[in-house]
Amino acid sequence: MTPTQASTGQAGLSALTPEAKDALGGADLPVTQFPFRVGLESRGATRAVARIVMDRRRPGSRPNNELYLAEPEPATNVSREHFQIEHNGAQYVLVDRQSACGTLVEGRVVGGKQAGGAVPLRDGDVIIVGTSASRFVFKFRAG
């Protein structure tokens, strides 16, 4: 799937935990390209902060994710290819990318056990990456 620019409205992620804030590089991150993919920073680096892909990729290389989350070893909540946010022209959708633990959206488990799954996203929905014990908690913003 070729990434596309959002043509209507604004979307973004807001951090609800310190770890989420570190991952976003601040309190909020606009989501302007779809699909917007999120996954584990798995290059063995001991970085304290994950970065958006533009901060760490060579020109011309194809990333697996737009946002990388650095989970302390052993990584138990975040999969390398965890979830993505899509926009189908009418609504935003969170798609679990066959992660091991799934993704919680407003308390509802999406995916997990490599099953995949999808759920519509609404403004204000809380997204927990992995289990309820995960430290990566975001609020989805759309307007």
Side-chain angles (χ1 to χ4, degrees), residues 50-95:
R51 294 276 185 225
I52 58 175
V53 71
M54 287 65 78
D55 291 345
R56 58 188 281 272
R57 286 282 174 180
R58 288 172 279 139
S61 68
R62 183 168 167 85
N64 289 333
N65 300 302
E66 280 66 51
L67 178 63
Y68 287 89
L69 307 177
E71 188 174 36
E73 291 294 329
T76 57
N77 279 293
V78 183
S79 295
R80 280 187 283 176
E81 296 183 356
H82 201 96
F83 74 87
Q84 65 188 31
I85 297 172
E86 299 178 357
H87 189 263
N88 64 15
Q91 66 180 353
Y92 296 96
V93 179
L94 182 138
V95 178

Side-chain angles (χ1 to χ4, degrees), residues 1 4 14-17 25 37-38 43 67-68 70 72-73 81 88 95 98 101-102 107 123 129 132 134 141-142:
M1 177 182 293
T4 58
S14 296
L16 297 182
T17 61
R37 299 164 298 188
V38 178
R43 297 212 252 178
L67 178 63
Y68 287 89
E73 291 294 329
E81 296 183 356
N88 64 15
V95 178
Q98 300 183 338
C101 294
D123 183 48
V129 184
S132 60
S134 175
R141 296 291 186 194

